[in-house]
């Protein structure tokens, strides 16, 4: 669907249009606790697991969602993006748990009652154990099974939900678990598995999209795409183009014509390569054997490096990658160039840090860039921050603090951080004050 762009206010007043969505996001496995029927639960416990922690109780959001939603509404946000968990809803093939669907209905009612708009993600990284056992996204039956589950959820939530994200960051699911670049399940590390997973995820999105629209034609559906601000030098460019086609562009194409596209951006990658290295890599692109023997180990080494080289003077986040507020504008503009006229929602943007002032700086810088893009008629419909709460950061466990709201690991006590107040104030006023971030 193509929508007329919303014109933002002039640069001087930095006003955002009425109806712009202001929110925060979570994902079921990262916050709910005891997601014991999922592939990730098993991955955390596997002998020799790459995971730092077990997710366990997470932040107990499955039980505490009412208080958590009240905190988000209390600071002034108007949108809550969260995921429903396939592994809970369909614990065995074709068996749908009505009590769990009731839970998500009640949770969604609570979101509305608090004055927030729900945005529901149908798949955020985790699979039911029984789907994983058949090969996960490599199994040709998975897309149709995903669509059947999606339809069931959309029918259960009925008129409560107008925004659906089908699959969260399919590029990361494939790259992380099937090429092994993030040490995600199922732990495959070859290009054939990677290609099959990409195909499955593209088909899953398309069938999922149709399922959502079939069950609720007025809902807006789209996928959420992870995008990096890539900056390769000339020698690195052919290799980065090859990589980006498979991690980002294939999913932009899969999203063409959807009701919206979600953009999720965390950083920039400046890639410098010597001519020799470039020649060797280009050669390895030519055959599958070389790709698997030469390229994949190199990609994995770089992707799993906890402290990759950064450009001189660059700051590093807890995650190890560059602190780069400007990356959001770059990726939003690129998305708009590839999918002209298609509505864009920033469905994630955030930072892991112990210094909340840095989070405020990231939000402020990101929003200034977003505003500049909107002044150029890029049709951005909302900004949703990752994350609402400190949570379980996959392989890195509880070591990363992404929350607008902090969560004490020992007591699970919540603390609203100044960054939450900062974003809430922007949400309430629709304006970003001049002169840089002012906390509080
Ligand atoms: C994912 C989240 C994750 C966040 C921070 C995104 O890739 O959607 O699940 O926690 O980035 O790493």
């Amino acid at each position: 669907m193509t929508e007329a762009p919303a014109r933002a206010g002039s640069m001087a007043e930095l006003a955002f249009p009425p109806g712009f969505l202001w929110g925060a996001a979570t994902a079921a496995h990262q916050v709910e606790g005891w997601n014991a029927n999922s592939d990730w639960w098993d991955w955390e416990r596997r002998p020799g697991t790459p995971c730092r922690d077990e997710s366990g109780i997470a932040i107990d959001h499955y039980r505490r969602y009412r208080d958590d939603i009240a905190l988000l509404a209390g600071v002034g946000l108007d949108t809550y993006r969260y995921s429903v968990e396939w592994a809970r809803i369909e614990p065995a093939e074709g068996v749908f748990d009505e009590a769990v669907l009731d839970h998500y209905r009640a949770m969604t009612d609570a979101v509305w009652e608090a004055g927030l708009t729900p945005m529901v993600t149908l798949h955020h990284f985790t699979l039911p154990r029984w789907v994983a056992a058949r090969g996960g996204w490599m199994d040709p039956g998975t897309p149709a099974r995903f669509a059947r589950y999606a339809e069931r959820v959309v029918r259960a939530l009925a008129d409560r939900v107008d925004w659906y994200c089908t699959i969260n960051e399919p590029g990361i699911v494939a790259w992380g678990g099937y090429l092994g670049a993030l040490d995600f399940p199922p732990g495959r590390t070859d290009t054939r598995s990677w290609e099959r997973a990409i195909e499955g995820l593209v088909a899953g999105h398309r069938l999922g999209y149709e399922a959502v629209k079939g069950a609720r034609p007025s809902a807006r559906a789209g996928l959420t795409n992870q995008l990096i601000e890539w900056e390769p030098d000339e020698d690195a460019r052919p290799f980065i183009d090859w990589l980006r086609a498979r991690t980002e562009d294939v999913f932009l194409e899969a999203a063409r014509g959807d009701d919206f596209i979600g953009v999720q951006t965390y950083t920039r990658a400046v890639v410098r390569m010597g001519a020799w290295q470039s020649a060797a890599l280009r050669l390895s692109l030519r055959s599958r054997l070389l790709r698997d023997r030469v390229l994949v180990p190199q990609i994995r080494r770089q992707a799993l490096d906890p402290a990759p080289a950064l450009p001189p003077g660059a700051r590093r986040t807890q995650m190890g990658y560059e602190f780069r507020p400007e990356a959001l504008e770059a990726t939003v503009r690129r998305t708009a160039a590839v999918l002209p006229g298609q509505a864009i929602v920033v469905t994630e943007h955030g930072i892991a840090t112990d210094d909340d002032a840095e989070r405020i700086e990231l939000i402020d810088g990101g929003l200034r860039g977003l505003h500049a893009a909107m002044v150029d008629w890029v049709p951005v419909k909302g900004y949703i921050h990752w994350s609402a709460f400190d949570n379980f950061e996959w392989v890195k466990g509880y070591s990363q603090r992404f929350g607008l709201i902090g969560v004490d690991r020992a007591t699970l006590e919540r603390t609203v951080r100044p960054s939450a107040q900062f974003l809430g104030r922007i949400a309430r006023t629709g304006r970003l004050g001049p002169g840089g971030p002012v906390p509080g």
Side-chain angles (χ1 to χ4, degrees):
M1 190 173 85
T2 303
E3 294 189 13
R7 178 86 172 138
S10 78
M11 280 303 281
E13 57 181 14
L14 292 183
F16 288 80
F20 194 81
L21 304 174
W22 295 102
T26 60
H29 188 78
Q30 296 179 269
V31 292
E32 286 184 344
W34 315 120
N35 187 23
N37 255 321
S38 66
D39 60 343
W40 262 92
W41 187 264
D42 294 344
W43 189 242
E44 292 158 20
R45 279 159 191 75
R46 219 182 60 144
T49 174
C51 298
R52 177 185 183 272
D53 299 316
E54 293 181 6
S55 54
I57 193 170
I59 66 162
D60 200 19
H61 188 61
Y62 199 80
R63 291 193 306 164
R64 299 181 193 216
Y65 68 82
R66 273 183 205 285
D67 294 345
D68 287 345
I69 290 165
L71 289 175
L72 298 177
V75 297
L77 299 180
D78 61 38
T79 303
Y80 181 30
R81 172 177 177 241
Y82 52 99
S83 73
V84 295
E85 180 56 58
W86 189 3
R88 289 187 199 277
I89 293 172
E90 193 180 356
E93 171 143 37
V95 178
F96 291 89
D97 189 329
E98 288 302 326
V100 174
L101 288 169
D102 282 346
H103 166 88
Y104 287 122
R105 259 193 296 264
M107 178 174 169
T108 306
D109 286 340
V111 172
W112 279 116
E113 282 154 22
L116 297 163
T117 297
M119 179 181 283
V120 170
T121 305
L122 294 163
H123 177 272
H124 196 122
F125 290 1
T126 43
L127 288 173
R129 182 177 290 125
W130 63 269
V131 178
R134 295 172 176 214
W137 287 106
M138 292 186 302
D139 182 68
T142 297
R145 290 188 197 106
F146 171 66
R148 179 181 58 180
Y149 145 79
E151 189 191 338
R152 191 67 179 241
V153 170
V154 176
R155 290 205 187 283
L157 296 178
D159 60 358
R160 291 171 182 79
V161 178
D162 292 318
W163 291 89
Y164 281 102
C165 308
T166 54
I167 299 180
N168 181 70
E169 298 186 345
I172 290 291
V173 174
W175 156 262
Y178 298 81
L179 197 69
L182 292 171
D183 265 351
F184 280 13
R188 309 291 294 223
T189 56
D190 63 282
T191 51
R192 185 72 200 112
S193 300
W194 187 34
E195 284 159 12
R196 283 169 63 192
I198 291 170
E199 268 170 45
L201 286 154
V202 166
H205 167 63
R206 291 295 353 137
L207 293 181
Y209 178 89
E210 296 307 329
V212 173
K213 301 297 282 188
R216 182 157 165 73
S218 62
R220 296 175 217 220
L223 60 73
T224 63
N225 212 13
Q226 184 277 153
L227 293 141
I228 289 178
E229 179 189 9
W230 289 106
E231 244 183 56
D233 65 10
E234 276 320 302
D235 284 316
R237 186 171 298 281
F239 171 66
I240 295 303
D241 284 349
W242 179 85
L243 203 64
R244 188 161 71 171
R246 287 155 181 79
T247 51
E248 299 181 1
D249 298 356
V250 63
F251 300 108
L252 287 175
E253 275 318 313
R256 191 179 291 281
D258 290 354
D259 306 308
F260 73 96
I261 170 100
V263 170
Q264 317 202 147
T265 294
Y266 287 86
T267 195
R268 162 175 80 158
V270 177
V271 190
R272 303 275 171 264
M273 224 176 243
W276 276 106
Q277 194 189 2
S278 169
L281 279 184
R282 259 176 294 155
L283 194 69
S284 72
L285 289 182
R286 296 221 188 127
S287 88
R288 185 178 298 281
L289 189 73
L290 287 175
R291 284 200 295 268
D292 285 350
R293 294 269 168 85
V294 179
L295 201 57
V296 175
Q298 191 151 333
I299 290 176
R300 295 193 70 224
R301 233 186 341 269
Q302 298 227 317
L304 297 170
D305 183 348
L310 297 186
R315 277 149 65 187
R316 204 183 282 286
T317 75
Q318 261 175 3
M319 291 289 280
Y321 48 62
E322 187 186 353
F323 173 83
R324 176 78 178 167
E326 299 87 342
L328 186 61
E329 177 180 359
T331 56
V332 160
R333 283 188 188 274
R334 173 153 197 277
T335 300
V338 177
L339 301 176
Q342 193 154 321
I344 294 174
V345 179
V346 175
T347 39
E348 287 185 25
H349 177 239
I351 178 175
T353 179
D354 275 333
D355 176 3
D356 193 54
E358 232 177 10
R359 192 169 353 262
I360 291 174
E361 198 183 333
L362 181 93
I363 295 171
D364 183 85
L367 288 177
R368 280 173 202 282
L370 208 57
H371 189 277
M374 292 168 76
V375 167
D376 289 339
W377 301 98
V378 173
V380 184
K381 305 297 178 192
Y383 174 88
I384 297 175
H385 190 80
W386 183 271
S387 176
F389 304 94
D390 287 345
N391 62 53
F392 178 75
E393 178 55 30
W394 308 113
V395 172
K396 290 179 191 277
Y398 292 107
S399 64
Q400 308 294 303
R401 274 160 297 278
F402 271 100
L404 293 168
I405 296 171
V407 180
D408 183 295
R409 272 317 312 146
T411 62
L412 299 184
E413 193 188 328
R414 279 53 167 162
T415 307
V416 175
R417 294 189 168 127
S419 55
Q421 308 286 8
F422 177 73
L423 184 59
R425 199 176 57 222
I426 299 169
R428 286 194 307 272
T429 60
R431 274 156 205 277
L432 187 61
V438 184

